[in-house]
Amino acid sequence: MLFRSQTAYGNETIEASMNIASSPSAPPGDTSYVLWFDQVSLDDVGRVGGKNASLGELVQNLTSAGIRVPGGFATTSDLYWRFVEDNNLAPIITTTLKEWKSGAIDLPTAGRRIRQSFLGGQFSQDLSDQILNAYEQLSRNEGQANLDVAVRSSATAEDLPNASFAGQQESFLNVQGSAELIDACRKCLASLFTDRAMVYRDTQGFDHLKVALSIGVQRMVRSDLAGAGVMFTLDTETGFRDVVHIDAAWGLGETVVQGSVDPDSYRVFKPLLHRTDLMPIIERKIGAKAHKLVYAEAASGAQTLLQDTTQTDQHTSVLNDREILDLAKWAVAIEAHYGRPMDIEWAKDGRDGHMFIVQARPETVQASDHQATHKVYALKTKGSLLATGLSIGDRIAAGRVCRLDQAVTPSAFAEGSILVAPTTDPDWVPIMKKAAAIVTDHGGRTSHAAIVSRELGVPAVVGTGDASQKLLDGQEVTVSCAEGDEGFVYAGISDIDVTETDETSAADTSTRLMLNMANPGAAMRWWRLPAKGVGLARMEFIISNQIKVHPLALVHFDSLQDAEAKAQISQLTAGYADKTNDFVDTLARGIASIAATVHPHQVIVRMSDFKTNEYANLLGGRAFEPAEENPMIGWRGASRYYSPDYREGFALECAAIKKVRSELGFGNVIVMIPFCRTLREADLVLEEMSVNGLKRGEDGLEVYVMCEIPANVILASEFADRFDGFSIGSNDLTQLTLGVDRDSERLSDVFDEGNEAVVELIRQVIGRAHEKGRKVGFCGQAPSNKPAYAQMLVELGIDSISVTPDSFLKVAQNVAEAESRQ
């Protein structure tokens, strides 16, 4: 008899010395080939495999905490070895593997031959009796004859801390009756030798003859009548540990795992989950969810059926806020029990509305990446944009497109090509290993393509919708996953810049070093930087890139005359009866995503500072914006907020800030007013904010003002009476001090943030603000580009400097050197 692999979760090692032996894995005297989930734990990986051992661990330790796990049982690895022995399969397996490894036969031939030998085998009477007796007992426990069950494979080298083996073996859903169950069990055993499982074990260094398979039989959760999905206890792209990421789709959860649908996506901020008065959901994206997997009619002979979803379902969230938070709390509890980040499958029963955890395994990619040093990719050039989707990873790759509709033999795929496909499943893994990048039409961040791409370290853009139709076979393209949470496919081979950085090597400084942020999707990439907050969070990026609609076009949607814009707005805001709520929710969650990465440090959010021409370019915007000769010094910043012509739009911005602070729980978010020309404007804006529920000083709310107009410096003492601090915007301050258009190429040599006049104004505002006990920060670009400028600011007594993330380490060093000289 063959011996099983053993795993120690505690020290995250896999025992290497596994020899062929005749001793059983069961305790002496134990002849049972079936164990109930409440009889097994993580100590039993060698007996029931990683998946079933983890289910037993959940049942034994977490059901008392209210976490629901469907009942079931597992066959032991001894049953596998007994089946192999009874059917004399060992010689076939050994001979076939030798022929494959020697090159005498190819992988498909080897895998098919071994699987067919399993499928032709029979369970002895005592083995089938134990399986069917347990099934009958499970049916009685659940009060249903011939209970519908999921039959899943659980290999003894699976769901390990450093090797996931995700999707390598088979699962069978909606199995009912004794005959179907025995047939599914036989298929499970055979699936230990799927082509993908054989390649994966070979790559990971596991001996095929030392891995066994346990069968898990578990009550089906009727998620075909509701929804299901996957959740991770960290951010799947960056490894940021303070979020739970949840994907959800209608019907059975296999569509999410396989990536055949574009699911809803939610992120929850873990540090605030204990607050019962908050709803810390920092991302809530509604996916297309075009299909769902449901039970098939008994007469069809199939267990499941893929069917189209309705338009209503496609625009409706699978989970409500309370369900999202409940799942997130379960995820945190599971992570705490296992002591490591987890990959968890959940399902909602459509009959009683209850949630269940159906699988939990260690997360194996981000959790094992302990290096703070990593490569940062950036594009120097870009071709025309061909496709967009979700970015997986943070790399960039270029090559020729290889477009496939189904998996082919690896030899038919040219190494270094860009794999473009509708979706992927475990059969694609041998091809994916040879790809420079992967692009799929469907799938979310927890789909098969996403999980495998991360494990391989290959950039992927998933959920593009139609890349397999748009991209041509052999076409040269560049796949970029280095621009935030959106991934892009560009025409041609772009010039790629790669730098290596150690994000924890920043020098310690007395001057607070903060970040300039705009893109919520990119914010989590920089969570390891030791920044003391965000000194400038630009609201405009979220409005222009995620909301895309002029706020007044939402307020006055019914009277909007532009039919084309109206149709686009309807599509963007589908699911919102009151379209202004889309603006508030999207803006609030975007800000919260930035605030989460530096919590509890301060995040200074600048209220919208579009110019009129930029506002006009938003959907529906032209109806609400005047044409100005010089928008740069026109109707912008503070002057808009109290104006009757924009007051309703500013009210939505205030509602978003209030939601971030009061409902989502990010009290570290404060507000900054840009381009405030006069003291009267300051008073009017503060009054308008108060009317909209943002009263300075209430609930700890601080309000800063941008210092970008000479008047802000001249009247700094008076502005300090009205605001809690200043943030110097050096571009506008230089422009208005020297009378130079900052965008003029002809005057570029005159535009100088280090000009004596500009420096003198900075000196004055710092001095006057400090006399009033107010702090002054600097959020311009100059310290990022010029070491001497950062040193000058330190000498002038600046309180904080806010820079772009990619220049943070360099500026930290410059500031530390300047402080040491002082």
Side-chain angles (χ1 to χ4, degrees), residues 1-22:
M1 195 177 295
L2 299 175
F3 189 64
R4 281 77 37 209
S5 62
Q6 300 286 337
T7 304
Y9 274 69
N11 58 12
E12 301 182 12
T13 61
I14 302 174
E15 189 173 306
S17 57
M18 297 178 284
N19 301 314
I20 296 175
S22 59

Side-chain angles (χ1 to χ4, degrees), residues 730 733-734 737-738 752-763 789:
S730 57
L733 186 60
T734 302
T737 300
L738 301 180
D752 179 13
E753 294 162 303
N755 179 275
E756 299 92 328
V758 178
V759 172
E760 178 57 30
L761 290 178
I762 294 173
R763 184 193 312 276
Y789 204 92

Side-chain angles (χ1 to χ4, degrees), residues 11 86 105 142 151 153 162 188 220 285 303 333 342 395 430 441 455 489 502 506 522 555 676 744 755:
N11 58 12
D86 288 348
I105 59 175
E142 299 294 336
V151 182
S153 307
N162 49 0
C188 273
M220 280 288 293
K285 292 182 179 177
Q303 274 75 43
M342 298 295 290
R395 301 186 180 191
D441 292 344
E455 191 166 319
V489 182
D502 181 353
V555 174
C676 188
S744 171
N755 179 275

Side-chain angles (χ1 to χ4, degrees), residues 139-150:
S139 297
R140 286 193 296 271
N141 292 347
E142 299 294 336
Q144 177 186 334
N146 290 327
L147 180 71
D148 47 324
V149 293

Side-chain angles (χ1 to χ4, degrees), residues 113-258:
R113 183 188 297 172
I114 296 174
R115 291 193 299 274
Q116 286 176 345
S117 69
F118 272 88
L119 294 176
Q122 298 295 323
F123 286 100
S124 63
Q125 189 66 45
D126 63 321
L127 295 184
S128 62
D129 283 349
Q130 288 200 35
I131 294 171
L132 295 179
N133 287 340
Y135 174 60
E136 290 172 9
Q137 181 61 53
L138 180 62
S139 297
R140 286 193 296 271
N141 292 347
E142 299 294 336
Q144 177 186 334
N146 290 327
L147 180 71
D148 47 324
V149 293
V151 182
R152 304 184 189 275
S153 307
S154 177
T156 54
E158 183 177 51
D159 294 348
L160 308 180
N162 49 0
S164 70
F165 282 75
Q168 301 307 311
Q169 283 84 42
E170 301 287 357
S171 295
F172 302 91
L173 307 180
N174 187 25
V175 174
Q176 293 181 291
S178 300
E180 280 190 12
L181 176 58
I182 291 296
D183 186 49
C185 288
R186 188 182 296 108
K187 290 176 180 176
C188 273
L189 297 182
S191 74
L192 188 61
F193 289 92
T194 60
D195 295 358
R196 58 189 183 254
M198 292 167 67
V199 169
Y200 195 95
R201 283 196 297 273
D202 211 47
T203 302
Q204 295 287 335
F206 286 86
D207 189 329
H208 301 278
L209 296 174
K210 298 173 185 175
V211 176
L213 190 135
S214 164
I215 303 163
V217 179
Q218 185 178 37
R219 174 176 83 79
M220 280 288 293
V221 177
R222 291 300 304 269
S223 59
D224 61 309
L225 304 175
V230 177
M231 57 183 174
F232 286 80
T233 61
L234 46 58
D235 179 61
T236 54
E237 303 312 310
T238 66
F240 181 52
R241 298 293 182 89
D242 283 348
V243 294
V244 174
H245 178 105
I246 304 172
D247 276 354
W250 299 114
L252 303 174
E254 264 60 21
T255 57
V256 177
V257 176
Q258 294 167 3

